[in-house]
């Protein structure tokens, strides 16, 4: 190990780094690390930054912090957000415009990941993702480049990598696994990790406060929180079920899920050797628990505050542990998010809840009754799609149907603007909302209406949880922070987007996107040579 080519070259590399001007990244990184905190809003750093002592603190204090970073599209959800991060392109170009259908793929079945849990889960793959991303660009120069991506969610592990095969793992049925898109088995290191039963050891565990209760300013007992499906669990401590099967289904809503992601990622760095070759490798760690807790308790809750303190702690441990495996000098990081989140309308007293569920379901039933065809009407937030070819085949005037749905939508409280395919095509170039929808909807995608909500209105038909997915600033505004050797801590206030991260990582690695991208190389991170 100590005789690896990298270690033998290390003294020379360190001398070269010491001699280099501090503002420029001189050596190509061995490992580019993307850390995604699902649903992380930048204002959490403002609120809790002084309390962070671990990994989030390190990004905040040692990183180049872009304070005006955005997911620059309309359906601010996990799948489209993650697909922008390393592709350099918006959802209209990646083809991943919403969570559904996203990565669902029954042809790519989940592989058996351990001998203990055989439950079948729907398969997942990047089959709908179009074009290339950072990992493809790295492979184009060096076919030996390696990738490791780990998340609780399938879409969050898959989409930053793109279509390429690689080490892409997510949590399903109590174990970490992959799908037949990538492999017909899990690697031995992951099999061994699963067999150790780490998740099951959390059965019955109690989630209490991480720090002294006096240091939490938020009220704990807010009865509008976490009331989905009739649950009434909104005060500390929260208890994981004493039954392991039920606990594994609830674990996603508890902070420890993120610690498992970090642990699998580190085990994977050991097992795959990413970052320990000549050349540049890619590591993606996407953490989903902030999203789950944010949905349940909201961005202003004591629970979210506690989750961020724990995430900060574990991220610090992860960064220290990673540095043992891959020298810090060879590593460059970006931390970002796939979207933000809205406060509970019940907390703010403004806005409310609005949903197209009833309208979409009624429309589907009407056409089934009238024409005996399932027209595949589905809705996701403010977006309604259908099988337009099936409608046209029965002589249905699709534009009239769109217009009728748009008129009905505009009668609902909280609905701000509604586009149909015709009105979006006619909208002027300076129309900001139209611009966001054009960046969201792939040209070949069938759709009926695309709506935006008024400030404070969320696309949720039931109480008890909150949501993201709108074009409001709290949903689009995300942290973008780079950290690594040669980067001097600073704040950058100009507007940037998550599409800039992939091309910037590419420039640091000395490769270029192999197709046109909308994202731009951030000169604060990768100055023109
Ligand atoms: Zn979410």
């Amino acid at each position: 190990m100590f005789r690896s080519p990298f270690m033998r070259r290390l003294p020379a590399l360190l001398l070269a780094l010491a001699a280099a001007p501090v503002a420029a990244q001189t050596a190509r990184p061995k490992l580019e690390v993307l850390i995604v905190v699902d649903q992380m809003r930048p204002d959490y750093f403002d609120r809790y930054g002084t309390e962070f002592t671990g990994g989030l603190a390190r990004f905040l204090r040692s990183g180049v912090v872009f304070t005006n970073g955005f997911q620059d599209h309309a359906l601010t959800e996990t799948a489209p957000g993650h697909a922008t991060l390393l592709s350099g392109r918006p959802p209209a170009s990646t083809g991943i415009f919403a969570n559904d259908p996203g990565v669902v793929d029954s042809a790519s079945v989940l592989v058996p990941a351990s001998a203990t849990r055989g439950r079948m889960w729907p398969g997942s793959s990047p089959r709908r993702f179009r074009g290339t991303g950072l990992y493809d660009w790295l492979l184009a120069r060096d076919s030996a480049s390696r990738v490791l991506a780990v998340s609780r969610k399938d879409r969050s592990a898959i989409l930053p990598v793109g279509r390429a095969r690689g080490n892409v793992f997510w949590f399903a049925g109590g174990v970490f696994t992959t799908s037949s898109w990538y492999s017909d088995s899990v690697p031995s290191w992951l099999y061994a990790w699963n067999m150790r039963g780490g998740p099951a050891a959390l059965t019955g565990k109690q989630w209490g406060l991480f720090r002294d209760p006096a240091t939490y300013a938020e009220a704990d007992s807010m009865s509008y929180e976490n009331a989905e499906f009739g649950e009434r669990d909104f005060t500390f401590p929260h208890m994981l079920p004493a039954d392991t099967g039920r606990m594994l289904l609830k674990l996603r809503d508890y902070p420890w899920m993120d610690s498992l992601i970090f642990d699998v990622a580190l085990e994977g760095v050991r097992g795959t050797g990413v970052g320990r070759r000549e050349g540049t490798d890619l590591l993606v760690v996407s953490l989903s628990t902030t999203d789950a807790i944010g949905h349940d308790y909201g961005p202003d809750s004591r629970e979210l505050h506690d989750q961020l303190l724990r995430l900060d702690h574990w991220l610090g441990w992860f960064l220290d542990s990673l540095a043992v495996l891959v020298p810090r000098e060879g590593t460059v990081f970006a931390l970002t998010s796939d979207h933000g989140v809205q406060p509970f309308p019940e907390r703010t007293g403004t806005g409310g809840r609005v949903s197209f569920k009833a309208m979409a379901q009624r429309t589907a039933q009407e056409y089934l009754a009238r024409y005996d065809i399932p027209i595949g009407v589905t809705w996701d937030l403010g977006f309604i799609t259908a099988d337009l070819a099936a409608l046209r085949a029965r002589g249905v005037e699709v534009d009239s149907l769109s217009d009728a749905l748009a008129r009905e939508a505009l009668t609902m409280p909280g609905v701000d603007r509604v586009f149909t395919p015709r009105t979006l095509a006619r909208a002027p170039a300076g129309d900001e909302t139209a611009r966001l929808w054009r960046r969201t909807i792939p040209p070949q995608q069938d759709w009926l209406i695309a709506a935006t909500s008024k400030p404070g209105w969320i696309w949720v038909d039931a109480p008890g949880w909150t949501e993201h997915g709108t074009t409001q600033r709290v949903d689009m505004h995300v942290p973008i922070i780079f950290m690594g050797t040669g980067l001097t801590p600073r704040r950058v206030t100009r507007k940037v987007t998550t599409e800039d991260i992939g091309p910037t990582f590419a420039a640091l690695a000395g490769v270029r996107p192999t197709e046109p991208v909308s994202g731009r190389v951030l000169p604060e991170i990768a100055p023109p040579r």
Side-chain angles (χ1 to χ4, degrees):
M1 174 185 177
F2 292 102
R3 305 200 64 80
S4 75
F6 175 70
M7 294 302 282
R8 268 187 272 120
R9 278 182 40 227
L10 192 59
L13 180 63
L14 288 173
L15 282 173
L17 286 168
V22 288
Q25 185 92 19
T26 48
R28 282 177 185 163
K30 294 273 183 195
L31 188 62
E32 298 191 317
V33 185
L34 178 70
I35 308 270
V36 190
V37 181
D38 195 316
Q39 202 190 99
M40 175 110 194
R41 293 190 345 192
D43 61 321
Y44 297 162
F45 282 103
D46 304 332
R47 287 188 199 177
Y48 308 122
T50 57
E51 297 176 45
F52 293 154
T53 57
L56 293 174
R58 226 171 288 173
F59 274 95
L60 187 62
R61 284 155 213 161
S62 315
V64 179
V65 180
F66 292 87
T67 57
N68 274 298
F70 290 88
Q71 287 279 355
D72 197 20
H73 53 93
L75 289 170
T76 40
E77 292 190 302
T78 294
H82 275 79
T84 68
L85 298 178
L86 296 179
S87 68
R89 295 173 294 126
S93 173
T94 64
I96 306 295
F97 62 94
N99 276 349
D100 189 25
V103 297
V104 177
D105 179 11
S106 56
S108 297
V109 297
L110 293 198
V111 304
S114 79
T116 53
R117 299 193 184 274
R119 179 173 168 184
M120 286 304 294
W121 287 68
S124 313
S125 83
R127 200 174 295 278
R128 288 180 200 84
F129 181 92
R130 295 195 200 95
T132 59
L134 175 66
Y135 184 50
D136 300 292
W137 311 334
L138 293 171
L139 285 172
R141 180 183 65 195
D142 175 4
S143 62
S145 285
R146 296 175 190 173
V147 67
L148 170 65
V150 183
S151 181
R152 192 262 287 168
K153 296 179 181 176
D154 52 1
R155 51 190 176 268
S156 306
I158 291 170
L159 293 168
V161 177
R163 295 181 68 85
R165 268 72 171 174
N167 300 293
V168 178
F169 306 109
W170 58 93
F171 191 69
V175 292
F176 283 85
T177 186
T178 189
S179 81
S180 57
W181 178 274
Y182 301 100
S183 178
D184 52 16
S185 63
V186 296
S188 55
W189 62 263
L190 185 57
Y191 184 86
W193 192 96
N194 283 327
M195 292 303 284
R196 287 206 290 274
L202 294 165
T203 303
K205 201 163 164 69
Q206 172 179 296
W207 175 18
L209 292 175
F210 191 57
R211 298 243 173 92
D212 177 355
T215 63
Y216 294 77
E218 307 81 12
D220 187 22
S221 179
M222 308 306 282
S223 63
Y224 52 73
E225 291 175 2
N226 198 24
E228 197 185 1
F229 309 124
E231 269 186 288
R232 306 300 299 153
D233 177 13
F234 51 84
T235 50
F236 277 100
H238 302 281
M239 300 293 293
L240 273 166
D243 171 79
T244 299
R246 284 185 52 231
M247 183 279 299
L248 290 173
L249 295 174
K250 289 294 290 177
L251 188 53
R252 52 181 283 169
D253 300 331
Y254 283 72
W256 295 287
M257 189 71 236
D258 281 348
S259 71
L260 298 176
I261 301 298
F262 284 129
D263 198 44
V264 170
L266 285 172
E267 198 70 20
V269 170
R270 287 186 203 100
T272 63
V274 293
R276 284 180 287 166
R277 293 181 319 113
E278 293 299 315
T280 303
D281 292 335
L282 175 62
L283 172 62
V284 176
V285 181
S286 183
L287 303 146
S288 311
T289 313
T290 303
D291 179 72
I293 291 171
H295 277 297
D296 284 347
Y297 304 96
D300 307 298
S301 62
R302 182 172 286 206
E303 283 82 359
L304 191 83
H305 183 174
D306 195 72
Q307 154 64 11
L308 292 171
L309 295 177
R310 289 169 184 271
L311 173 64
D312 169 59
H313 173 75
W314 282 319
L315 180 57
W317 166 78
F318 172 77
L319 295 176
D320 289 341
S321 304
L322 182 65
V324 174
L325 301 170
V326 182
R328 276 188 220 278
E329 298 75 25
T331 311
V332 62
F333 297 89
L335 182 144
T336 190
S337 185
D338 50 351
H339 53 72
V341 68
Q342 299 221 45
F344 272 78
E346 292 79 5
R347 173 191 161 83
T348 59
T350 60
R353 296 164 186 268
V354 55
S355 172
F356 289 162
K357 179 179 180 178
M359 181 168 73
Q361 288 181 338
R362 191 203 67 226
T363 305
Q365 283 160 8
E366 277 174 15
Y367 280 83
L368 186 61
R370 200 183 312 167
Y371 299 105
D372 197 28
I373 47 164
I375 60 165
V377 174
T378 57
W379 81 101
D380 193 335
L381 309 168
F383 190 65
I384 298 186
T385 60
D387 182 346
L388 301 190
L391 285 166
R392 291 195 180 102
R394 301 294 166 114
V396 175
E397 232 304 340
V398 170
D399 287 335
S400 303
L401 174 58
S402 273
D403 292 343
L405 290 172
R407 275 195 302 276
E408 182 175 343
L410 283 168
T411 67
M412 298 180 188
V415 173
D416 186 20
R417 299 187 64 190
V418 185
F419 290 103
T420 67
R422 278 195 303 187
T423 61
L424 184 61
R426 286 201 303 258
D431 184 327
E432 170 61 10
T433 308
R435 186 188 73 86
L436 291 173
W437 280 113
R438 288 188 183 118
R439 303 188 98 252
T440 302
I441 308 171
Q444 55 278 69
Q445 174 63 42
D446 281 354
W447 60 285
L448 290 168
I449 63 169
T452 50
S453 62
K454 290 178 181 167
W457 287 80
I458 57 176
W459 296 109
V460 173
D461 65 327
W465 57 298
T466 190
E467 190 48 290
H468 47 85
T470 75
T471 54
Q472 291 162 45
R473 183 181 167 89
V474 284
D475 281 345
M476 295 176 60
H477 191 199
V478 292
I480 297 178
I481 307 177
F482 280 82
M483 181 173 76
T485 304
L487 295 178
T488 308
R490 65 184 284 201
R491 295 230 167 325
V492 181
T493 57
R494 70 190 175 83
K495 183 182 172 183
V496 298
T497 82
T498 54
E499 293 154 43
D500 300 333
I501 297 171
T504 301
F505 266 148
L508 288 173
V511 301
R512 289 173 187 277
T514 54
E515 67 178 301
V517 296
S518 48
R520 294 176 185 175
V521 176
L522 298 168
E524 297 87 349
I525 307 302
R529 289 168 195 259

